[in-house]
Amino acid sequence: MSLPSRRGFNEAVTGFWGFAAPVYDTAVVQRWVYRPPQNEMIALLRAHGSRRVADVGCGTGILADRIERELQPDAVYGVDLSEGMLEQAAGRSTRVQWLRAPAEQLPFDDAALDAVVTTSAFHWFNQPAALREFHRVLAPGGFAAVATLSPRQRLPGLQIQWLLANRLNPSHAPTPGEMRTMFTEAGFAVEDQHRVRRPVWTPISDLLTVGVKT
């Protein structure tokens, strides 16, 4: 996707989520859509003992706030492009540092972080560029963990098909193999990859991929 079209795409996404932020926080949406991958991120961060963490595409800050409260690392950053989402996030926690920036241009120095996580947002990014940026801001031994839409098969429904349309984002719904390739090409060693567990009746399928900066 060219830079001008990518800018327009980002602006459209940002505007949509500014409008949708209150719905995003509802209990039903959070429990069945967002909490399963967020729980996995908490477990990963705890296992790695990460002290400087960024949640990219943080939305209204639920995961970043959980990271701060449950793990108490040295620094937690919530990064998002949507002002509406960040306004909601700022009311959730004053201890998380909320930053407005694109995933492809993070406001961190080289090797500044121990972990970068993102859930339910990667499909909006320029994925190869975002992974290269995650690699840049991580210290050696740090990890990036991405939970993204990756349907096992083509899903019915016009809205879902619109979201998956290649004309909007060529790498929107990558296969497991494509995710591994993108991680490797960004410089990561893939440590783990598996499906996020959900109730069998939910139509969403996320793929969690974890890469370590060696």
Side-chain angles (χ1 to χ4, degrees):
M1 189 177 290
S2 66
L3 183 59
S5 63
R6 183 73 209 181
R7 185 179 299 113
F9 180 75
N10 283 346
E11 289 172 356
V13 170
T14 299
F16 169 77
W17 283 115
F19 174 80
V23 176
Y24 178 94
D25 270 356
T26 60
V28 171
V29 170
Q30 284 298 321
R31 180 178 181 184
W32 299 117
V33 177
Y34 297 110
R35 186 171 293 274
Q38 290 174 359
N39 288 343
E40 297 224 18
M41 295 303 183
I42 293 288
L44 270 170
L45 291 165
R46 181 177 284 115
H48 281 260
S50 305
R51 304 308 305 167
R52 300 165 297 168
V53 182
D55 176 17
V56 179
C58 67
T60 60
I62 291 176
L63 175 57
D65 178 50
R66 285 188 61 191
I67 292 168
E68 196 284 323
R69 287 186 295 103
E70 297 179 26
L71 304 179
Q72 298 183 344
D74 297 334
V76 182
Y77 304 93
V79 183
D80 205 281
L81 261 181
S82 168
E83 291 182 1
M85 287 290 192
L86 290 173
E87 286 174 3
Q88 295 273 341
R92 188 181 304 281
S93 174
T94 58
R95 294 179 297 275
V96 176
Q97 299 181 56
W98 307 107
L99 304 171
R100 186 169 186 262
E104 302 86 359
Q105 292 178 300
L106 296 174
F108 305 110
D109 293 335
D110 294 356
L113 303 174
D114 300 314
V116 175
V117 300
T118 184
T119 61
S120 307
F122 192 66
H123 49 282
W124 299 118
F125 303 163
N126 178 324
Q127 294 172 357
L131 284 172
R132 290 193 297 270
E133 187 70 348
F134 296 175
H135 189 273
R136 179 188 69 79
V137 302
L138 284 169
F143 76 92
V146 175
T148 190
L149 293 172
S150 180
R152 293 183 177 87
Q153 57 188 8
R154 182 173 293 275
L155 300 174
L158 291 177
Q159 290 180 332
I160 293 175
Q161 291 305 312
W162 179 84
L163 284 173
L164 300 182
N166 285 341
R167 65 184 178 84
L168 289 178
N169 190 340
S171 52
H172 174 90
T175 66
E178 288 167 342
M179 283 297 291
R180 296 181 75 91
T181 296
M182 281 193 289
F183 265 76
T184 301
E185 291 180 347
F188 290 101
V190 176
E191 179 182 79
D192 184 30
Q193 186 181 74
H194 64 270
R195 295 281 174 183
V196 175
R197 286 190 176 185
R198 292 184 179 277
V200 294
W201 52 266
T202 59
I204 299 169
S205 178
D206 319 59
L207 182 72
L208 176 62
T209 307
V210 182
V212 175
K213 180 175 180 177
T214 56

